[in-house]
Amino acid sequence: DAGVIQSPRHEVTEMGQEVTLRCKPISGHDYLFWYRQTMMRGLELLIYFNNNVPIDDSGMPEDRFSAKMPNASFSTLKIQPSEPRDSAVYFCASSLGSGNNQPQHFGDGTRLSIL
Amino acid sequence: GESVGLHLPTLSVQEGDNSIINCAYSNSASDYFIWYKQESGKGPQFIIDIRSNMDKRQGQRVTVLLNKTVKHLSLQIAATQPGDSAVYFCAENTGGFKTIFGAGTRLFVKA
Protein backbone atom coordinates (compact mmCIF):
# COMPACT_ATOMS: atom_id res chain seq x y z
CA ASP A 1 0.00 0.00 0.00
CA ALA A 2 1.21 3.49 -0.75
CA GLY A 3 1.72 5.64 2.28
CA VAL A 4 0.86 9.30 2.68
CA ILE A 5 2.27 11.20 -0.27
CA GLN A 6 3.33 14.82 -0.02
CA SER A 7 4.55 17.21 -2.66
CA PRO A 8 6.78 18.97 -3.23
CA ARG A 9 9.52 17.48 -1.05
CA HIS A 10 11.37 20.78 -1.04
CA GLU A 11 10.22 24.32 -1.73
CA VAL A 12 12.34 27.44 -1.75
CA THR A 13 10.66 30.72 -2.47
CA GLU A 14 10.91 34.40 -1.71
CA MET A 15 8.88 36.04 0.97
CA GLY A 16 5.55 37.36 -0.16
CA GLN A 17 4.97 34.51 -2.58
CA GLU A 18 2.10 32.07 -2.29
CA VAL A 19 3.06 28.55 -1.29
CA THR A 20 0.86 25.48 -1.77
CA LEU A 21 1.67 22.16 -0.16
CA ARG A 22 -0.12 19.02 -1.24
CA CYS A 23 -1.06 15.78 0.41
CA LYS A 24 -2.61 12.50 -0.64
CA PRO A 25 -3.69 10.46 2.39
CA ILE A 26 -3.75 6.70 2.60
CA SER A 27 -6.77 5.39 0.75
CA GLY A 28 -9.66 4.70 3.10
CA HIS A 29 -8.38 6.89 5.91
CA ASP A 30 -10.99 9.37 7.06
CA TYR A 31 -8.82 11.66 9.16
CA LEU A 32 -6.17 13.97 7.78
CA PHE A 33 -3.78 16.11 9.81
CA TRP A 34 -1.36 18.90 8.93
CA TYR A 35 1.66 19.47 11.20
CA ARG A 36 4.57 21.86 11.23
CA GLN A 37 7.96 20.88 12.66
CA THR A 38 10.65 23.34 13.69
CA MET A 39 13.71 23.18 15.89
CA MET A 40 12.23 25.62 18.35
CA ARG A 41 8.70 24.31 18.68
CA GLY A 42 8.89 20.67 17.69
CA LEU A 43 5.89 19.06 16.04
CA GLU A 44 2.75 21.23 16.11
CA LEU A 45 -0.71 20.30 14.89
CA LEU A 46 -2.08 22.96 12.56
CA ILE A 47 -5.44 21.55 11.50
CA TYR A 48 -7.25 18.28 11.03
CA PHE A 49 -10.12 17.05 8.89
CA ASN A 50 -12.65 14.29 9.27
CA ASN A 51 -14.40 13.10 6.11
CA ASN A 52 -13.06 16.17 4.30
CA VAL A 53 -14.52 18.59 6.86
CA PRO A 54 -12.17 20.76 8.96
CA ILE A 55 -12.72 19.88 12.61
CA ASP A 56 -10.11 21.85 14.51
CA ASP A 57 -8.01 24.64 13.02
CA SER A 58 -6.96 26.19 16.31
CA GLY A 59 -3.32 25.44 15.52
CA MET A 60 -3.26 27.47 12.33
CA PRO A 61 -0.93 30.34 13.20
CA GLU A 62 -2.46 33.17 11.21
CA ASP A 63 -4.96 34.05 8.54
CA ARG A 64 -2.14 33.72 6.05
CA PHE A 65 -2.53 29.95 6.46
CA SER A 66 -5.44 28.06 4.96
CA ALA A 67 -6.17 24.39 4.32
CA LYS A 68 -8.68 22.61 2.16
CA MET A 69 -9.73 19.07 1.50
CA PRO A 70 -11.88 19.01 -1.64
CA ASN A 71 -12.13 15.24 -1.65
CA ALA A 72 -11.07 12.17 0.31
CA SER A 73 -7.81 11.76 -1.57
CA PHE A 74 -6.40 15.27 -1.63
CA SER A 75 -5.63 18.15 0.69
CA THR A 76 -3.73 21.40 0.37
CA LEU A 77 -2.10 23.74 2.84
CA LYS A 78 -1.62 27.25 1.49
CA ILE A 79 0.42 30.13 2.85
CA GLN A 80 -0.22 33.55 1.34
CA PRO A 81 1.79 35.69 1.67
CA SER A 82 4.71 33.63 2.93
CA GLU A 83 7.22 34.97 5.47
CA PRO A 84 10.70 33.75 6.49
CA ARG A 85 9.35 32.57 9.85
CA ASP A 86 7.16 30.07 8.00
CA SER A 87 10.28 28.10 7.12
CA ALA A 88 9.81 24.62 8.55
CA VAL A 89 9.07 21.04 7.60
CA TYR A 90 5.36 20.51 7.03
CA PHE A 91 3.93 17.04 7.49
CA CYS A 92 0.66 15.54 6.50
CA ALA A 93 -0.68 12.48 8.31
CA SER A 94 -3.77 10.34 8.00
CA SER A 95 -5.51 7.81 10.18
CA LEU A 96 -8.43 5.46 10.12
CA GLY A 97 -10.63 6.63 12.93
CA SER A 98 -13.62 4.93 14.30
CA GLY A 99 -12.33 6.12 17.63
CA ASN A 100 -9.30 8.00 18.74
CA ASN A 101 -7.14 4.95 19.39
CA GLN A 102 -5.51 4.74 16.01
CA PRO A 103 -1.98 5.78 15.09
CA GLN A 104 -1.38 8.45 12.52
CA HIS A 105 0.63 7.66 9.41
CA PHE A 106 2.91 10.43 8.24
CA GLY A 107 4.23 11.46 4.87
CA ASP A 108 7.88 12.40 4.45
CA GLY A 109 7.13 16.09 4.63
CA THR A 110 7.77 19.23 2.63
CA ARG A 111 10.81 21.22 3.63
CA LEU A 112 9.86 24.85 3.11
CA SER A 113 12.39 27.66 3.01
CA ILE A 114 11.21 31.23 2.68
CA LEU A 115 14.00 33.64 1.77
CA GLY B 1 18.84 14.81 11.08
CA GLU B 2 16.71 17.75 10.15
CA SER B 3 13.83 17.01 12.38
CA VAL B 4 13.96 18.65 15.74
CA GLY B 5 16.11 20.47 18.11
CA LEU B 6 19.77 21.04 18.48
CA HIS B 7 19.14 20.48 22.17
CA LEU B 8 17.25 17.21 22.20
CA PRO B 9 18.08 14.76 24.96
CA THR B 10 20.48 12.23 23.51
CA LEU B 11 20.95 8.59 24.37
CA SER B 12 24.09 6.92 23.15
CA VAL B 13 24.29 3.11 23.27
CA GLN B 14 26.60 0.43 22.00
CA GLU B 15 25.35 -1.77 19.22
CA GLY B 16 23.84 -4.90 20.69
CA ASP B 17 22.94 -3.31 24.01
CA ASN B 18 19.39 -2.62 25.10
CA SER B 19 18.06 0.94 24.94
CA ILE B 20 15.51 2.56 27.20
CA ILE B 21 13.92 5.83 26.18
CA ASN B 22 11.77 7.59 28.75
CA CYS B 23 8.91 10.00 28.45
CA ALA B 24 6.81 11.91 30.94
CA TYR B 25 3.36 12.74 29.66
CA SER B 26 1.28 15.65 30.75
CA ASN B 27 -2.38 14.73 30.99
CA SER B 28 -3.68 12.17 33.46
CA ALA B 29 -6.78 11.82 31.29
CA SER B 30 -4.77 10.59 28.29
CA ASP B 31 -5.88 7.11 27.34
CA TYR B 32 -3.80 6.20 24.32
CA PHE B 33 -0.05 6.46 23.86
CA ILE B 34 2.14 6.01 20.85
CA TRP B 35 5.85 5.83 20.12
CA TYR B 36 7.15 7.15 16.82
CA LYS B 37 10.58 6.94 15.22
CA GLN B 38 11.81 9.70 12.94
CA GLU B 39 14.81 9.21 10.72
CA SER B 40 16.58 12.05 9.00
CA GLY B 41 14.59 13.42 6.08
CA LYS B 42 11.52 11.34 6.84
CA GLY B 43 8.26 11.66 8.67
CA PRO B 44 7.56 10.08 12.05
CA GLN B 45 6.95 6.37 11.73
CA PHE B 46 4.64 4.44 14.05
CA ILE B 47 6.46 1.89 16.22
CA ILE B 48 4.10 0.70 18.93
CA ASP B 49 1.11 1.89 20.90
CA ILE B 50 -0.53 1.14 24.21
CA ARG B 51 -3.92 1.88 25.73
CA SER B 52 -4.39 3.08 29.25
CA ASN B 53 -5.92 -0.20 30.39
CA MET B 54 -2.57 -1.90 29.87
CA ASP B 55 0.82 -1.41 31.49
CA LYS B 56 3.00 -3.32 29.05
CA ARG B 57 2.95 -4.20 25.40
CA GLN B 58 5.54 -6.00 23.34
CA GLY B 59 6.39 -5.87 19.69
CA GLN B 60 9.29 -7.11 17.67
CA ARG B 61 12.38 -6.04 19.67
CA VAL B 62 10.40 -3.24 21.30
CA THR B 63 8.45 -3.04 24.54
CA VAL B 64 6.41 -0.14 25.81
CA LEU B 65 5.76 0.28 29.53
CA LEU B 66 3.11 2.59 30.94
CA ASN B 67 3.02 3.80 34.53
CA LYS B 68 -0.11 5.85 34.97
CA THR B 69 0.60 6.59 38.61
CA VAL B 70 3.56 8.77 37.73
CA LYS B 71 2.52 9.53 34.14
CA HIS B 72 5.54 7.83 32.67
CA LEU B 73 6.05 5.97 29.45
CA SER B 74 9.13 4.11 28.29
CA LEU B 75 10.28 2.42 25.13
CA GLN B 76 12.71 -0.45 25.39
CA ILE B 77 14.62 -1.58 22.33
CA ALA B 78 16.36 -4.93 22.58
CA ALA B 79 19.70 -5.60 20.88
CA THR B 80 19.95 -2.08 19.49
CA GLN B 81 21.17 -1.85 15.90
CA PRO B 82 22.68 1.01 13.89
CA GLY B 83 19.41 1.27 11.99
CA ASP B 84 17.70 2.20 15.24
CA SER B 85 19.52 5.54 15.29
CA ALA B 86 16.81 8.19 15.02
CA VAL B 87 14.73 10.62 17.05
CA TYR B 88 12.02 8.92 19.09
CA PHE B 89 8.82 10.69 20.08
CA CYS B 90 6.23 9.67 22.59
CA ALA B 91 2.73 10.93 21.96
CA GLU B 92 -0.46 11.02 24.01
CA ASN B 93 -4.07 11.20 23.02
CA THR B 94 -6.90 12.37 25.24
CA GLY B 95 -10.23 11.10 24.05
CA GLY B 96 -10.16 13.01 20.82
CA PHE B 97 -8.06 13.17 17.70
CA LYS B 98 -5.55 15.67 18.90
CA THR B 99 -2.27 13.92 19.53
CA ILE B 100 0.27 15.73 21.67
CA PHE B 101 3.87 14.94 20.79
CA GLY B 102 6.80 15.10 23.17
CA ALA B 103 9.98 16.93 22.31
CA GLY B 104 11.79 13.75 21.29
CA THR B 105 14.94 11.88 22.25
CA ARG B 106 17.80 11.29 19.86
CA LEU B 107 19.16 7.74 19.94
CA PHE B 108 22.70 7.29 18.71
CA VAL B 109 23.97 3.74 18.22
CA LYS B 110 27.72 3.21 18.29
CA ALA B 111 29.02 0.41 16.13
Side-chain angles (χ1 to χ4, degrees):
Chain A
D1 270 346
V4 174
I5 299 172
Q6 292 187 245
S7 64
R9 287 300 314 276
H10 304 273
E11 175 88 14
V12 180
T13 192
E14 293 187 344
M15 65 177 293
Q17 299 297 307
E18 178 179 289
V19 173
T20 300
L21 311 181
R22 297 173 175 79
C23 175
K24 176 179 168 55
I26 293 173
S27 178
H29 282 191
D30 51 355
Y31 282 83
L32 183 140
F33 306 80
W34 281 102
Y35 289 87
R36 177 172 68 178
Q37 188 175 47
T38 61
M39 286 184 175
M40 293 302 296
R41 301 174 69 92
L43 201 58
E44 303 173 276
L45 177 65
L46 301 177
I47 185 171
Y48 75 90
F49 296 81
N50 174 218
N51 291 324
N52 315 338
V53 176
I55 302 301
D56 185 344
D57 65 354
S58 59
M60 296 284 262
E62 298 172 33
D63 291 345
R64 297 184 296 106
F65 285 69
S66 62
K68 295 182 180 180
M69 192 165 184
N71 57 63
S73 60
F74 184 66
S75 177
T76 60
L77 178 67
K78 189 171 292 188
I79 308 172
Q80 166 64 21
S82 57
E83 297 183 4
R85 60 192 167 121
D86 302 330
S87 298
V89 182
Y90 290 81
F91 289 103
C92 176
S94 69
S95 70
L96 182 61
S98 57
N100 62 309
N101 291 347
Q102 297 289 337
Q104 295 172 22
H105 299 266
F106 285 77
D108 283 338
T110 296
R111 179 191 280 277
L112 177 64
S113 297
I114 308 296
L115 306 177
Chain B
E2 72 192 18
S3 49
V4 284
L6 295 174
H7 303 292
L8 283 181
T10 298
L11 175 65
S12 185
V13 299
Q14 197 68 39
E15 181 180 0
D17 288 351
N18 296 334
S19 302
I20 300 176
I21 301 172
N22 296 304
C23 175
Y25 64 92
S26 57
N27 192 334
S28 56
S30 293
D31 58 2
Y32 177 58
F33 305 88
I34 317 108
W35 279 100
Y36 288 90
K37 172 187 180 183
Q38 187 174 23
E39 297 175 279
S40 180
K42 296 191 175 182
Q45 178 186 12
F46 169 78
I47 303 174
I48 192 168
D49 57 4
I50 188 167
R51 291 170 173 71
S52 59
N53 61 351
M54 303 171 69
D55 53 22
K56 181 179 180 179
R57 191 166 187 219
Q58 288 184 287
Q60 187 177 14
R61 280 201 310 120
V62 294
T63 301
V64 56
L65 298 177
L66 174 63
N67 185 331
K68 294 183 288 293
T69 302
V70 294
K71 294 191 288 186
H72 184 267
L73 197 64
S74 68
L75 177 70
Q76 300 177 3
I77 305 173
T80 313
Q81 303 168 0
D84 295 327
S85 293
V87 177
Y88 289 81
F89 294 95
C90 65
E92 61 183 299
N93 192 299
T94 312
F97 286 89
K98 263 187 152 173
T99 299
I100 308 299
F101 286 82
T105 296
R106 188 180 303 277
L107 176 65
F108 178 68
V109 182
K110 296 176 286 188

